[in-house]
Amino acid sequence: GPEKIYDMLLGARTADKITLHLKDGRAVHGALIFNPFKGTGRVINIDQEVSVDFSVEEIRDLKIS
């Protein structure tokens, strides 16, 4: 549920890179910025020059790489 995802995001804030699997089927790789007070964040992939904003409700799974 959302609480588990929230806890995983809090734990992943210090990771170098993560992979975020969103409910719409996208997978995003990169560095994590997470605002626990708003429940929103951004994954930034410097290599691909892409950043994706997300909210906790949009996340299906999270892997630390």
Side-chain angles (χ1 to χ4, degrees):
E3 295 84 14
K4 180 184 170 196
I5 296 289
Y6 196 88
D7 289 343
M8 291 170 69
L9 285 165
L10 289 174
R13 287 188 298 179
T14 58
D16 289 335
K17 290 194 176 186
I18 62 146
T19 301
L20 202 61
H21 296 274
L22 301 172
K23 291 179 180 175
D24 66 6
R26 292 180 293 163
V28 187
H29 313 282
L32 173 68
I33 298 173
F34 178 56
N35 183 331
F37 301 106
K38 293 184 178 181
T40 59
R42 176 176 283 178
V43 177
I44 301 170
N45 184 318
I46 295 172
D47 298 331
Q48 296 178 352
E49 297 182 1
V50 172
S51 69
V52 175
D53 295 326
F54 66 86
S55 66
V56 172
E57 296 83 28
E58 297 176 85
I59 301 171
R60 181 172 48 85
D61 195 17
L62 170 86
K63 301 281 190 238
I64 297 174
S65 44

